[in-house]
Protein backbone atom coordinates (compact mmCIF):
# COMPACT_ATOMS: atom_id res chain seq x y z
CA UNK A 1 0.00 0.00 0.00
CA UNK A 2 1.38 3.42 -0.94
CA UNK A 3 2.39 5.95 1.71
CA UNK A 4 -0.37 8.25 0.46
CA UNK A 5 -3.05 5.59 0.83
CA UNK A 6 -1.73 4.61 4.25
CA UNK A 7 -2.08 8.24 5.36
CA UNK A 8 -5.60 8.84 4.08
CA UNK A 9 -6.80 5.42 5.27
CA UNK A 10 -5.93 6.24 8.88
CA UNK A 11 -9.12 6.57 10.92
CA UNK A 12 -9.63 10.09 12.35
CA UNK A 13 -12.22 11.21 14.88
CA UNK A 14 -13.86 14.60 14.43
CA UNK A 15 -17.00 16.48 15.44
CA UNK A 16 -19.96 17.54 13.34
CA UNK A 17 -19.86 21.33 12.98
CA UNK A 18 -23.19 21.91 11.22
CA UNK A 19 -26.27 19.97 10.09
CA UNK A 20 -28.58 21.44 7.44
CA UNK A 21 -31.77 19.86 6.07
CA UNK A 22 -31.95 20.50 2.31
CA UNK A 23 -34.99 18.30 1.57
CA UNK A 24 -37.38 16.05 3.54
CA UNK A 25 -34.89 13.16 3.11
CA UNK A 26 -31.46 14.80 2.61
CA UNK A 27 -29.25 16.57 5.15
CA UNK A 28 -25.82 18.19 4.67
CA UNK A 29 -23.24 17.48 7.37
CA UNK A 30 -20.13 19.67 7.72
CA UNK A 31 -17.08 18.74 9.78
CA UNK A 32 -13.37 19.49 9.99
CA UNK A 33 -10.83 17.08 8.47
CA UNK A 34 -7.56 18.28 6.94
CA UNK A 35 -7.07 15.23 4.71
CA UNK A 36 -10.53 15.26 3.14
CA UNK A 37 -10.40 19.05 2.75
CA UNK A 38 -7.73 18.37 0.09
CA UNK A 39 -10.19 16.33 -2.00
CA UNK A 40 -11.04 16.95 -5.64
CA UNK A 41 -14.57 16.75 -7.13
CA UNK A 42 -15.67 13.12 -7.52
CA UNK A 43 -13.64 11.67 -4.64
CA UNK A 44 -15.39 10.01 -1.70
CA UNK A 45 -14.79 9.40 2.00
CA UNK A 46 -15.77 6.73 4.52
CA UNK A 47 -17.82 8.12 7.41
CA UNK A 48 -18.13 6.07 10.60
CA UNK A 49 -21.27 6.42 12.71
CA UNK A 50 -20.24 5.16 16.18
CA UNK A 51 -21.80 1.82 17.17
CA UNK A 52 -23.69 1.62 13.85
CA UNK A 53 -21.69 1.35 10.61
CA UNK A 54 -19.24 2.98 8.23
CA UNK A 55 -20.60 4.24 4.88
CA UNK A 56 -19.09 5.69 1.68
CA UNK A 57 -20.19 9.22 0.78
CA UNK A 58 -19.40 11.51 -2.14
CA UNK A 59 -17.85 14.82 -1.12
CA UNK A 60 -20.19 17.77 -1.70
CA UNK A 61 -17.78 20.60 -0.93
CA UNK A 62 -14.58 21.52 0.83
CA UNK A 63 -13.15 24.69 2.33
CA UNK A 64 -9.40 24.19 2.03
CA UNK A 65 -8.52 27.23 4.19
CA UNK A 66 -10.80 26.20 7.06
CA UNK A 67 -10.13 22.47 6.46
CA UNK A 68 -13.84 21.69 6.49
CA UNK A 69 -15.73 19.10 4.44
CA UNK A 70 -19.43 18.73 3.60
CA UNK A 71 -21.38 15.64 2.54
CA UNK A 72 -25.02 15.28 1.49
CA UNK A 73 -26.72 12.23 3.00
CA UNK A 74 -30.08 10.77 2.02
CA UNK A 75 -31.93 8.80 4.70
CA UNK A 76 -32.22 5.31 3.22
CA UNK A 77 -31.42 2.82 6.00
CA UNK A 78 -30.12 2.16 9.50
CA UNK A 79 -26.77 3.94 9.14
CA UNK A 80 -28.03 7.02 7.33
CA UNK A 81 -31.03 7.16 9.68
CA UNK A 82 -28.69 7.16 12.69
CA UNK A 83 -26.57 9.88 11.07
CA UNK A 84 -29.68 11.99 10.42
CA UNK A 85 -30.42 11.86 14.16
CA UNK A 86 -26.98 13.28 15.05
CA UNK A 87 -26.43 16.93 15.88
CA UNK A 88 -23.62 19.51 15.82
CA UNK A 89 -20.98 18.50 18.35
CA UNK A 90 -21.55 14.75 17.99
CA UNK A 91 -18.49 12.63 17.21
CA UNK A 92 -17.97 10.79 13.93
CA UNK A 93 -15.05 8.98 12.29
CA UNK A 94 -13.54 9.70 8.88
CA UNK A 95 -11.20 7.97 6.39
CA UNK A 96 -10.23 9.30 2.99
CA UNK A 97 -10.40 10.94 0.55
CA UNK A 98 -10.43 7.89 -1.71
CA UNK A 99 -10.70 7.20 -5.42
CA UNK A 100 -10.10 9.32 -8.48
CA UNK A 101 -11.82 12.53 -9.50
CA UNK A 102 -13.59 14.03 -12.50
CA UNK A 103 -11.33 15.27 -15.32
CA UNK A 104 -12.23 18.95 -15.78
CA UNK A 105 -12.48 19.97 -19.44
CA UNK A 106 -12.43 23.45 -20.88
CA UNK A 107 -15.22 24.50 -23.20
CA UNK A 108 -18.92 23.78 -22.89
CA UNK A 109 -19.75 21.00 -20.48
CA UNK A 110 -22.96 19.33 -19.32
CA UNK A 111 -23.58 18.04 -15.79
CA UNK A 112 -26.45 15.55 -15.36
CA UNK A 113 -27.40 14.66 -11.79
CA UNK A 114 -30.25 12.64 -10.35
CA UNK A 115 -31.38 12.93 -6.72
CA UNK A 116 -28.53 13.13 -4.22
CA UNK A 117 -26.18 12.23 -7.11
CA UNK A 118 -26.03 15.94 -7.86
CA UNK A 119 -23.74 16.38 -4.80
CA UNK A 120 -20.33 15.62 -6.42
CA UNK A 121 -21.41 17.47 -9.56
CA UNK A 122 -22.14 20.57 -7.47
CA UNK A 123 -18.55 20.36 -6.20
CA UNK A 124 -17.38 20.01 -9.83
CA UNK A 125 -19.49 23.01 -10.90
CA UNK A 126 -17.79 25.10 -8.22
CA UNK A 127 -14.31 24.05 -9.42
CA UNK A 128 -15.20 24.65 -13.09
CA UNK A 129 -16.55 28.11 -12.26
CA UNK A 130 -13.36 29.01 -10.38
CA UNK A 131 -10.58 27.51 -12.49
CA UNK A 132 -11.47 27.17 -16.15
CA UNK A 133 -12.95 29.24 -18.94
CA UNK A 134 -15.92 26.93 -19.27
CA UNK A 135 -19.63 27.25 -19.78
CA UNK A 136 -21.47 24.77 -17.61
CA UNK A 137 -25.02 23.59 -18.28
CA UNK A 138 -26.75 21.52 -15.59
CA UNK A 139 -29.61 19.05 -15.89
CA UNK A 140 -31.00 18.22 -12.49
CA UNK A 141 -33.60 15.54 -11.82
CA UNK A 142 -35.74 14.33 -8.91
CA UNK A 143 -39.12 12.74 -8.26
CA UNK A 144 -40.67 15.94 -6.83
CA UNK A 145 -39.78 19.59 -6.29
CA UNK A 146 -39.15 18.87 -2.59
CA UNK A 147 -36.36 16.44 -3.56
CA UNK A 148 -34.71 18.81 -6.05
CA UNK A 149 -31.62 19.82 -4.08
CA UNK A 150 -28.93 22.50 -4.59
CA UNK A 151 -30.96 24.19 -7.33
CA UNK A 152 -30.24 27.74 -6.13
CA UNK A 153 -26.57 26.96 -5.47
CA UNK A 154 -26.13 25.64 -9.03
CA UNK A 155 -27.92 28.67 -10.48
CA UNK A 156 -25.46 30.87 -8.59
CA UNK A 157 -22.46 28.92 -9.94
CA UNK A 158 -23.58 28.35 -13.53
CA UNK A 159 -26.16 31.07 -14.22
CA UNK A 160 -29.91 30.67 -13.84
CA UNK A 161 -30.43 30.23 -17.58
CA UNK A 162 -28.00 27.27 -17.61
CA UNK A 163 -29.73 25.15 -14.97
CA UNK A 164 -32.55 22.92 -16.23
CA UNK A 165 -34.68 20.60 -14.14
CA UNK A 166 -36.95 17.59 -14.57
CA UNK A 167 -39.31 16.16 -11.98
CA UNK A 168 -41.18 12.90 -12.39
CA UNK A 169 -44.44 14.40 -11.10
CA UNK A 170 -44.03 17.65 -13.05
CA UNK A 171 -43.99 19.83 -9.92
CA UNK A 172 -40.93 21.77 -11.22
CA UNK A 173 -39.32 22.05 -14.64
CA UNK A 174 -39.98 19.45 -17.32
CA UNK A 175 -42.21 16.52 -16.34
CA UNK A 176 -40.20 13.34 -16.85
CA UNK A 177 -36.75 11.86 -16.33
CA UNK A 178 -33.46 13.77 -16.15
CA UNK A 179 -31.98 11.37 -18.72
CA UNK A 180 -34.68 12.27 -21.26
CA UNK A 181 -34.13 16.00 -20.68
CA UNK A 182 -30.35 15.51 -20.99
CA UNK A 183 -30.78 13.64 -24.27
CA UNK A 184 -32.82 16.47 -25.74
CA UNK A 185 -30.26 19.06 -24.55
CA UNK A 186 -27.35 17.04 -25.99
CA UNK A 187 -29.17 16.64 -29.29
CA UNK A 188 -29.91 20.37 -29.47
CA UNK A 189 -26.53 21.74 -28.31
CA UNK A 190 -22.92 20.66 -28.81
CA UNK A 191 -20.84 19.89 -25.69
CA UNK A 192 -17.15 19.20 -25.16
CA UNK A 193 -17.77 16.87 -22.19
CA UNK A 194 -20.59 15.34 -20.15
CA UNK A 195 -20.38 14.38 -16.47
CA UNK A 196 -23.11 12.39 -14.73
CA UNK A 197 -23.95 10.92 -11.33
CA UNK A 198 -27.16 9.44 -9.95
CA UNK A 199 -29.35 6.36 -10.42
CA UNK A 200 -27.46 3.96 -12.67
CA UNK A 201 -30.20 3.52 -15.30
CA UNK A 202 -30.07 7.33 -15.69
CA UNK A 203 -26.29 7.47 -16.00
CA UNK A 204 -26.34 4.53 -18.46
CA UNK A 205 -28.88 6.34 -20.65
CA UNK A 206 -26.82 9.56 -20.57
CA UNK A 207 -23.60 7.70 -21.44
CA UNK A 208 -25.29 5.80 -24.27
CA UNK A 209 -26.49 9.06 -25.81
CA UNK A 210 -23.07 10.70 -25.38
CA UNK A 211 -21.48 7.71 -27.13
CA UNK A 212 -23.99 7.99 -29.97
CA UNK A 213 -23.07 11.66 -30.44
CA UNK A 214 -19.32 11.08 -30.02
CA UNK A 215 -19.06 13.26 -26.89
CA UNK A 216 -16.47 12.58 -24.17
CA UNK A 217 -18.23 11.58 -20.94
CA UNK A 218 -17.53 10.47 -17.39
CA UNK A 219 -19.83 8.88 -14.80
CA UNK A 220 -19.55 8.39 -11.06
CA UNK A 221 -20.54 4.84 -10.08
CA UNK A 222 -22.03 3.69 -6.81
CA UNK A 223 -21.31 0.23 -5.43
CA UNK A 224 -21.15 -1.39 -2.00
CA UNK A 225 -17.81 -0.34 -0.50
CA UNK A 226 -16.42 -1.74 2.72
CA UNK A 227 -12.64 -1.31 2.72
CA UNK A 228 -12.35 1.58 0.20
CA UNK A 229 -8.76 0.52 -0.58
CA UNK A 230 -9.30 -2.26 -3.11
CA UNK A 231 -9.01 -5.32 -0.86
CA UNK A 232 -12.53 -6.66 -0.16
CA UNK A 233 -13.81 -6.80 -3.75
CA UNK A 234 -17.36 -5.78 -2.84
CA UNK A 235 -17.39 -3.02 -5.45
CA UNK A 236 -16.11 -4.99 -8.46
CA UNK A 237 -17.62 -4.26 -11.88
CA UNK A 238 -16.00 -6.18 -14.73
CA UNK A 239 -12.26 -5.95 -14.14
CA UNK A 240 -12.53 -2.73 -12.14
CA UNK A 241 -12.69 -2.05 -8.41
CA UNK A 242 -14.88 1.04 -8.08
CA UNK A 243 -13.12 2.22 -4.90
CA UNK A 244 -9.60 2.10 -6.42
CA UNK A 245 -10.13 2.41 -10.18
CA UNK A 246 -13.10 4.80 -9.81
CA UNK A 247 -15.55 5.95 -8.66
CA UNK A 248 -15.20 8.08 -11.83
CA UNK A 249 -15.07 6.10 -15.07
CA UNK A 250 -14.80 7.51 -18.56
CA UNK A 251 -16.91 6.48 -21.50
CA UNK A 252 -14.22 4.19 -22.94
CA UNK A 253 -13.84 2.28 -19.67
CA UNK A 254 -17.60 1.87 -19.35
CA UNK A 255 -17.84 0.43 -22.87
CA UNK A 256 -15.94 -2.59 -21.54
CA UNK A 257 -18.55 -3.30 -18.84
CA UNK A 258 -21.69 -2.71 -20.90
CA UNK A 259 -23.19 -6.02 -19.85
CA UNK A 260 -23.08 -4.95 -16.17
CA UNK A 261 -23.26 -1.14 -16.12
CA UNK A 262 -26.89 -0.13 -15.58
CA UNK A 263 -28.11 -3.69 -15.10
CA UNK A 264 -26.71 -5.35 -11.98
CA UNK A 265 -24.37 -5.07 -9.01
CA UNK A 266 -23.36 -7.27 -6.06
CA UNK A 267 -25.18 -7.24 -2.69
CA UNK A 268 -23.59 -7.54 0.77
CA UNK A 269 -23.33 -11.33 0.24
CA UNK A 270 -21.63 -10.98 -3.14
CA UNK A 271 -24.69 -12.13 -5.11
CA UNK A 272 -25.77 -10.42 -8.31
CA UNK A 273 -28.78 -8.16 -7.87
CA UNK A 274 -30.52 -5.81 -10.26
CA UNK A 275 -29.46 -2.16 -10.11
Amino acid sequence: MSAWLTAVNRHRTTSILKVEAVSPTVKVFTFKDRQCAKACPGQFLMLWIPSVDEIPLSILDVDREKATVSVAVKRVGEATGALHNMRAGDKIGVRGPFGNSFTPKKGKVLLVGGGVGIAPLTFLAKELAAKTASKTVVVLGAKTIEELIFLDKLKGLCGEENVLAATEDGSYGIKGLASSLAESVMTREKFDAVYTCGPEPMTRAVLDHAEKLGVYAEASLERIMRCAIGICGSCVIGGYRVCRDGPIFNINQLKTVKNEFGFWKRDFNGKRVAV
Side-chain angles (χ1 to χ4, degrees), residues 140-148 165-178:
L140 179 59
K143 290 184 178 179
T144 68
I145 188 174
E146 290 80 14
E147 297 177 76
L148 211 53
T167 51
E168 293 182 27
D169 68 351
S171 53
Y172 188 91
I174 301 296
K175 183 177 182 180
L177 300 174

Side-chain angles (χ1 to χ4, degrees), residues 131-161:
K131 292 185 176 179
T132 64
S134 300
K135 177 182 178 180
T136 304
V137 176
V138 181
V139 168
L140 179 59
K143 290 184 178 179
T144 68
I145 188 174
E146 290 80 14
E147 297 177 76
L148 211 53
I149 58 176
F150 308 134
L151 186 63
D152 291 338
K153 186 170 185 176
L154 287 163
K155 286 180 178 179
L157 290 168
C158 306
E160 185 166 354
E161 71 281 5

Side-chain angles (χ1 to χ4, degrees), residues 62-90:
V62 302
D63 185 324
R64 294 188 174 93
E65 290 187 2
K66 296 180 180 177
T68 60
V69 186
S70 297
V71 292
V73 184
K74 183 174 183 178
R75 182 194 288 268
V76 293
E78 180 186 9
T80 53
L83 184 59
H84 268 234
N85 291 332
M86 298 180 79
R87 300 288 181 267
D90 288 344

Side-chain angles (χ1 to χ4, degrees), residues 191-251:
F191 291 92
D192 297 291
V194 177
Y195 306 91
T196 183
C197 181
E200 203 158 302
M202 182 207 79
T203 58
R204 174 64 191 260
V206 171
L207 266 291
D208 283 348
H209 201 66
E211 182 182 1
K212 180 181 175 183
L213 297 174
V215 181
Y216 177 81
E218 294 182 350
S220 176
L221 299 195
E222 180 182 329
R223 287 291 185 276
I224 290 173
M225 294 183 192
R226 289 170 167 160
C227 69
I229 55 175
I231 294 175
C232 74
S234 302
C235 61
V236 165
I237 177 170
Y240 298 117
R241 296 165 295 177
V242 173
C243 70
R244 287 295 303 271
D245 302 313
I248 312 303
F249 292 89
N250 65 43
I251 193 166

Side-chain angles (χ1 to χ4, degrees), residues 3-78:
W4 173 82
L5 195 53
T6 299
V8 300
N9 192 44
R10 182 175 55 83
H11 189 272
R12 288 96 61 184
T13 302
T14 186
S15 298
I16 297 172
L17 297 175
K18 186 170 69 173
V19 182
E20 179 186 8
V22 295
S23 85
T25 57
V26 178
K27 289 185 177 180
V28 171
F29 295 82
T30 300
F31 50 89
K32 181 170 282 191
D33 184 73
R34 293 195 178 280
Q35 286 285 9
C36 288
K38 301 174 185 176
C40 297
Q43 288 191 286
F44 69 99
L45 57 81
M46 298 296 292
L47 192 148
W48 175 63
I49 303 111
S51 303
V52 182
D53 202 355
E54 187 184 47
I55 55 175
L57 294 167
S58 294
I59 294 172
L60 166 66
D61 199 5
V62 302
D63 185 324
R64 294 188 174 93
E65 290 187 2
K66 296 180 180 177
T68 60
V69 186
S70 297
V71 292
V73 184
K74 183 174 183 178
R75 182 194 288 268
V76 293
E78 180 186 9

Side-chain angles (χ1 to χ4, degrees), residues 4-5 24 95 102 105-106 110 113 116 118 121 133 195 212 220 240 263:
W4 173 82
L5 195 53
R95 291 189 290 138
F102 291 109
K105 299 281 188 182
K106 291 183 178 179
L110 176 66
V116 76
I118 196 63
L121 297 176
Y195 306 91
K212 180 181 175 183
S220 176
Y240 298 117
F263 296 108

